[in-house]
Amino acid sequence: MEHQLPPEGDWRSWVIMGGRGAGKTRAGAEWVRSMVEGSMPLDKGKARRIALVGETIDQVREVMIFGESGILPITPTDRQPKFHAGRKMLEWPNGAVATIHTAHDPEGLRGPQFDCAWVDELAKWKRGQETWDMLQFALRLGDDPRCCVTTTPRNVEVLKELLEQSSTVVTHAPTEANAANLASSFLDEVKRRYAGTRLGRQELEGILLSDAEGALWTTAMLDAVRRKRTPKLDRVVVGLDPAVSSGKASDECGIIVAGVSMDGPPQDWRAHVIADCTVQGLGPAGWAQAAIDAMKKYDADRLVAEVNQGGQLVSEVIRQVDPLVSLKTVHASRGKVARSEPVAALYEQDRVTHALDLGPLEDQMTRMTRAGYEGQGSPDRVDALVWALHELMIEPAGQYQRPGVRRL
């Protein structure tokens, strides 16, 4: 498969980032073979001294060497290396040698030197940064020492810093890319349990999910509010953050659908984020139609649209699509962070839940910090969410608490 093939060009580290069972181990083992073996069994290859680095000795031995997709099972008999358990090494017929090293003993990488390394599950190592640093000093033999890293992504600094290096190339694939080699019952079960969750995006799709420092919403917070079933809702609205430009490079037009269960006074109401219908690249007529379609699909009673950038044009475009739509236009007088903080507080109070399949929205949420948005572009999905929940939860509570106002 394409994600298992070494990239062309000039690189030092190749990171294969994939979901569980996506074929990462097989790719790493095949890469080691391609580096070690020559045309004939006794011919020298590109690499002579290889480091095999895992979290523990057992994991290197049982996964990287003897595992079903490890080096020994996939190597033809006439090229197969010998395993010397006492010396913790593999020795090929052509004289190439691979030694075992672990993240539990970073100092074990201080003496040896290599022209090639295979690192497995870097993101789960407890002493990942220290071990990785020691390996970089040891990769000093030959004209072009290289390293292959096979890992399921996790939000750890050592992996994030590696991905930011200009000498790093990345390939990644979801678990389903290797479906032909996996039990169908396994795929069915994990998709049933984890599809649409952030854990599923990490463990099944191989996507690195990160929380910005000081984030208003964290991964743990969002994992806790996710529900598979939509609760009974008394009111549904669509939040709209229009895009002022069109085309492939334009900002997204945030379209978020949310509802509320209105039991008791507004302080006791609970909101549920139903769907993310965000679009990109469409002109005004296109995103207006998408917002109206979302209202019809989810039987929403109001469209809440921000008009800071589009002004009167936003209302006019929406009215052209549906003259009778229940439309409320809002104008932001405060910054994005100030508007977002009261909504984030609702999550901290356990008064908001999420449907599944809101990954892109939740990714933006975890990058919204008290210092501003740390993602690329504009947090259009978050803006639309904030307007929807202001309409459903924040504004009614404010009206209820005003002197003399007891009913909405």
Side-chain angles (χ1 to χ4, degrees):
M1 288 180 283
E2 186 175 351
H3 74 278
Q4 294 176 302
L5 300 177
E8 297 181 357
D10 183 21
W11 51 267
R12 180 175 175 86
S13 300
W14 171 28
V15 179
I16 307 174
M17 201 158 55
R20 299 284 187 93
K24 302 185 297 296
T25 301
R26 181 61 182 264
E30 291 285 6
W31 181 75
V32 170
R33 284 190 58 203
S34 72
M35 296 295 289
V36 169
E37 296 176 8
S39 299
M40 300 296 291
L42 298 181
D43 292 345
K44 294 181 180 180
K46 299 176 183 177
R48 302 287 292 167
R49 294 291 180 267
I50 304 94
L52 301 177
V53 193
E55 186 174 19
T56 66
I57 292 177
D58 286 346
Q59 289 178 356
V60 175
R61 185 177 60 240
E62 300 304 323
V63 176
M64 301 172 73
I65 296 176
F66 288 98
E68 186 174 352
S69 298
I71 294 171
L72 288 180
I74 70 167
T75 303
T77 303
D78 61 339
R79 296 170 178 266
Q80 200 166 80
K82 293 182 180 180
F83 179 62
H84 302 285
R87 299 178 65 187
K88 300 176 185 176
M89 62 177 281
L90 286 173
E91 186 175 11
W92 275 263
N94 65 4
V97 171
T99 52
I100 294 175
H101 302 271
T102 77
H104 285 188
D105 181 25
E107 291 297 312
L109 288 163
R110 185 174 289 276
Q113 53 185 352
F114 311 100
D115 50 16
C116 171
W118 174 21
V119 169
D120 190 48
E121 294 297 353
L122 170 66
K124 64 177 289 191
W125 296 354
K126 291 183 179 179
R127 302 178 69 181
Q129 189 65 63
E130 186 178 354
T131 306
W132 178 255
D133 290 342
M134 288 297 99
L135 177 61
Q136 300 317 296
F137 288 114
L139 274 172
R140 56 180 183 262
L141 290 181
D143 298 327
D144 187 22
R146 291 187 168 190
C147 179
C148 175
V149 178
T150 52
T151 188
T152 303
R154 288 190 180 182
N155 181 28
V156 294
E157 287 302 316
V158 61
L159 179 58
K160 291 192 292 185
E161 290 181 5
L162 173 59
L163 296 178
E164 291 174 357
Q165 298 299 315
S166 60
S167 58
T168 298
V169 294
V170 182
T171 60
H172 83 274
T175 299
E176 201 160 10
N178 197 32
N181 299 308
L182 301 172
S184 59
S185 59
F186 163 76
L187 278 177
D188 292 342
E189 179 67 12
V190 294
K191 285 194 290 186
R192 182 184 67 80
R193 288 192 176 199
Y194 304 111
T197 69
R198 285 178 66 81
L199 180 62
R201 298 191 76 211
Q202 174 178 284
E203 300 293 330
L204 299 181
E205 298 180 35
I207 296 174
L208 178 63
L209 305 175
S210 60
D211 297 343
E213 185 176 351
L216 297 179
W217 294 274
T218 66
T219 295
M221 182 189 298
L222 295 175
D223 284 342
V225 303
R226 201 172 292 110
R227 301 290 184 271
K228 292 184 177 180
R229 295 182 180 179
T230 301
K232 179 181 177 298
L233 300 172
D234 298 300
R235 188 182 178 214
V236 176
V237 303
V238 173
L240 171 65
D241 182 48
V244 296
S245 59
S246 59
K248 294 182 179 180
S250 67
D251 288 336
E252 294 175 325
C253 174
I255 302 174
I256 302 297
V257 186
V260 62
S261 298
M262 304 164 67
D263 296 326
Q267 294 87 338
D268 296 333
W269 293 1
R270 294 180 59 82
H272 185 73
V273 184
I274 303 170
D276 182 352
C277 301
T278 297
V279 295
Q280 185 175 21
L282 303 181
W287 53 251
Q289 184 65 62
I292 298 298
D293 290 344
M295 290 190 68
K296 293 177 180 178
K297 180 177 180 178
Y298 295 98
D299 197 24
D301 27 69
R302 177 165 288 185
L303 176 61
V304 184
E306 181 182 318
V307 296
N308 275 49
Q309 299 187 72
Q312 185 64 27
L313 172 65
V314 174
S315 300
E316 293 175 354
V317 171
I318 293 172
R319 295 292 186 195
Q320 288 174 6
V321 175
D322 186 348
L324 301 180
V325 65
S326 175
L327 173 65
K328 178 179 180 179
T329 59
V330 289
H331 191 282
S333 58
R334 298 185 299 166
K336 295 179 186 294
V337 174
R339 297 198 306 271
S340 298
E341 285 182 328
V343 174
L346 296 175
Y347 284 78
E348 294 174 353
Q349 297 163 10
D350 192 26
R351 297 180 60 199
V352 184
T353 58
H354 276 204
L356 303 182
D357 297 317
L358 296 175
L361 166 63
E362 293 175 349
D363 288 348
Q364 282 194 358
M365 294 172 73
T366 58
R367 294 187 179 98
M368 178 65 75
T369 77
R370 289 177 173 81
Y373 182 60
E374 294 192 359
Q376 295 182 348
S378 177
D380 305 285
R381 299 169 194 257
V382 174
D383 285 343
L385 168 76
V386 167
W387 289 123
L389 294 185
H390 262 276
E391 172 69 16
L392 293 172
M393 301 283 283
I394 306 296
E395 188 170 323
Q399 293 177 350
Y400 187 84
Q401 292 171 358
R402 291 173 189 165
V405 178
R406 305 303 296 173
R407 300 181 62 183
L408 298 177

